Amino acid sequence: MNNQYGWENIKLPKNLDEKIAEAVNNGKSQKRKVVYKRIGYSFAGMAAAFALCFVMGMKFPVVANAMGKVPIIGNVFSYLYGLEGYEGKYTQVAEEAKPAERPETVVGTENNAEQPENQAQADDDKTVENLAGGETQTVVTAGDQGLTITVTEYYCDKNNLYLSVEVIGEETVFADVAPYAEGAVQFYMADSIRFDDTKPIAGSEDGLLAEGVFLNENTFIGIARVDIATVAEEHSIELPDTFVYTMSGKHIKAYCMEQGVIYDVRGLWELDMEVICDSDTLQVLPVNAFAENGCGIVEVRQTDYEVQVSVVAGAEAIWVVVFDQNGNLLEYAGDELNIIHENYEVWKFAGKEDLQTLHIYVVEESKWLDEWKGQRYDGVLTGSEIMALLAENSFVADSVEVQ
Amino acid sequence: MDENTIGLVKAAKRGKISAFETLFLQEKEYLYRTAFLYMKNESDALDLVQECILQCMLSIGKLRNPEYFRTWMTRILINCARQEWKKKGRFVQAEAEEEQAVSEKVISREEQMDLYHAIDNLAYPYNVIIIQKYFAGMKLDEIAQMLEMPIGTVKVYHARAKSRLREFLEED
C-alpha cells in the first residue's frame, strides 16, 4: 500500500470485524437459507457441530443446560452431540468415536526410546498427556503461552476424519471471551497421513479448523473435520483401514467473533495419532444419472455421521436440491455451501429427516437461487409442490433408497 | 499471495464458511480503505464492504485462479461501488466525461476539494485507476486484469486520469 496519499490515515471503524462477520453470515444465509434460530450475534464460521445443532433447532442454552450432566473434557463429541433432546444419529457416533491409539514410535512421546539427543532438549518444554487408563490417547505439546492442544476422540469413516480438540491454557489465554461463546481455532499446521511404513502423504494445505465453544477464559473445545477422501483421491491411493494422522505447526489463531477478538498464539505443537476407520457404516449407492449437458448425480454415500450426495457439474452452473421422502428440504450439516467447482462436489447432510428415500434434483443455479428457492422459503409452494416443479425443470433428477 | 491465503481461497471455493471469514478479516484493511476511497464516508464504505463480501461469497465459484483473489475481490468491490454510484447519481462513464468535466471543474473550484474529492470527480474508470494505483498500490497490469481491459488502454486512461486529477488539484 502507498501511504503517500493517506492510505493508512483512513481510520478503520471499530465495528469492522463485526460487520465482516455479519456479511459472511448473511452470505451463508443467502446460500443456505437455513433459518438459524439464534439469539444475538452469530459467528459466521459455524462449526459443523453447531450447524447441526441449529438444523436440529437446538440453541446454546440447551448446551449450557447440559453442562452439569456431561463431563466435557475428554468427551467433546458427547458434549457437543449427545445432548438432551437430540435424536439424531450423532448420539450413535458419539458412542462410536474411539480414542486414538498412539503408535509405538511417535516423535515427542515419553516412551520414544529412539528419540535423538538433540531432539530431547527441543522437546523439554513439551508435555504429554495420558488420559485415564491410557484408553484415550493424546499427543500434545505446550506452546509459548502454555497452550496445550489435545485430541481426545476421533471418528473416521474413510471420507472424513473428525477430531475432538481441546485447547487449554495453563493461564488465561482467551481473556475477553464469555463462557460458552462460540468460536473457532485455526491450526496453521501441516498434516499428513502415513501407513505401511510408506512416506507420509501430505494432507490439506488449508490447515485445520476446529469450531466449537470457549468454555472459559483458558479452554476451548471443538471439532475439526479432515477431508481424508480428498487427500486419498489427490494421491491416487486407497485409504487403508488404519493409518497414522500427524499434525505439526507453530501457529494457531483463535477466533471469537461474538466478542470480536482474535488470539494469535505461537508455539510448537505436534500430533501423531493412530486412526482406525469405521468404514462399516459407509454405504455407497451408485446413481450415475446424467443429463445431456454433462451434469449429473454420481452417487450417494451414507454413514452414521452424514449423508453425502456427489454430483458432477459439467459445464453448467448447477445447484443440487435434496428432499427427504416426506418432502422436507434437506439442510446442510456441515460448514460447506453448495458451490460447484471444478467437476464435482459433495454435499453433506445429517439430521432428523426421514432419509429412507432421497429425492435429488440437479437444477440450474440461477433458476433455483432467483426463482424457485424463494417460493419454497416464502411458503408459496409446499415441499411436494416444489418437488413437482423441480422434477419438470431439473437437468437431472433421481430418487435413491438409502436404508 | 502466501500459501496460507491460497489455501483459504481454495477452502472458500469449496464453500468453507470459516475460510471466507478468515479471508475477509485478513483483507479487512484493504477492503475497507478501498471502499472508503470509493464512498467517502464510513457508513457507505461499510455497506459497500458488506455487499462486496456477499457478492464474493455468491460468486466464488467463478474465481478461477485463487492467487488472484484480491484482484477478483477488488473488481467485485468496484462493481458494487458503481451500482451505488448509479443509485446516488454519481456514476459517470469515461466516454461521457468530456462534457461534464467542465462543470465538475467549476464545482471543484468552488468547493476547494481535497484529494479524495478530486478523485471523486474523475469518471469511471479513471477514478478506479487512480485509487487502485496510488492508494491500494496495484500495478497497472494488475489493474488492467482487474478491469478486464488491455494494458495499453489502462496506460492511456492512467495518463488521462493523472492529467485530469492534476487539473482539479491545481484549480484547488
Side-chain angles (χ1 to χ4, degrees), chain A residues 1-28 30-32 41 43-46 184 186 188 204-206 209 211 225 227 251 253 255 257 262 335-342 344-345 365 369, chain B residues 3-4 6-37 42 45-47 49-51 53-54 56-62 70 115-116 119 130-138:
Chain A
M1 305 310 155
N2 192 337
N3 198 40
Q4 183 181 353
Y5 302 99
W7 172 263
E8 291 179 9
N9 296 338
I10 299 171
K11 190 178 176 185
L12 300 179
K14 289 180 181 175
N15 61 342
L16 180 56
D17 285 3
E18 184 183 332
K19 289 287 184 182
I20 288 172
E22 194 178 281
V24 172
N25 203 38
N26 187 27
K28 181 171 66 175
Q30 291 281 327
K31 278 289 190 183
R32 296 181 179 174
Y41 192 78
F43 177 61
M46 196 61 58
Q186 176 79 43
Y188 295 100
S204 166
E205 298 172 353
D206 307 338
L209 185 79
E211 297 171 289
R225 180 176 183 275
D227 188 352
H251 181 202
K253 276 187 181 177
Y255 301 88
M257 298 314 298
I262 300 174
D335 185 27
E336 307 209 2
L337 307 176
N338 176 31
I339 294 172
I340 303 301
H341 66 102
E342 296 174 356
Y344 81 99
E345 183 59 280
E365 182 185 48
L369 291 178
Chain B
E3 288 299 314
N4 273 345
I6 291 173
L8 282 170
V9 176
K10 288 179 179 175
K13 276 176 69 66
R14 290 198 298 272
K16 200 164 187 60
I17 294 294
S18 52
F20 276 116
E21 181 151 26
T22 307
L23 267 176
F24 290 125
L25 285 172
Q26 281 185 7
E27 294 286 349
K28 67 179 181 181
E29 292 184 16
Y30 171 81
L31 199 53
Y32 175 77
R33 285 176 171 146
T34 307
F36 185 88
L37 287 168
E42 180 178 309
L46 282 172
D47 286 347
V49 166
Q50 289 197 312
E51 182 61 22
I53 289 172
L54 177 62
C56 284
M57 290 182 70
L58 292 176
S59 56
I60 187 76
K62 295 170 185 170
R70 177 179 276 194
L115 178 60
Y116 291 169
I119 294 169
I130 293 295
I131 287 172
Q132 296 306 135
K133 176 165 174 59
Y134 294 103
F135 289 86
M138 289 179 86

Side-chain angles (χ1 to χ4, degrees), chain B residues 102-160:
Chain B
V102 177
S103 60
E104 285 165 3
K105 285 179 188 175
V106 175
I107 294 169
S108 68
R109 192 180 300 115
E110 290 174 351
E111 295 183 352
Q112 296 294 299
M113 287 184 295
D114 60 13
L115 178 60
Y116 291 169
H117 290 101
I119 294 169
D120 216 17
N121 264 340
L122 292 175
Y124 177 87
Y126 300 151
N127 50 2
V128 170
I129 292 170
I130 293 295
I131 287 172
Q132 296 306 135
K133 176 165 174 59
Y134 294 103
F135 289 86
M138 289 179 86
K139 296 173 182 173
L140 285 181
D141 59 344
E142 292 173 327
I143 295 171
Q145 186 181 37
M146 181 186 71
L147 295 175
E148 295 179 322
M149 290 179 176
I151 180 64
T153 305
V154 170
K155 284 179 178 175
V156 170
Y157 282 177
H158 174 232
R160 280 190 201 164

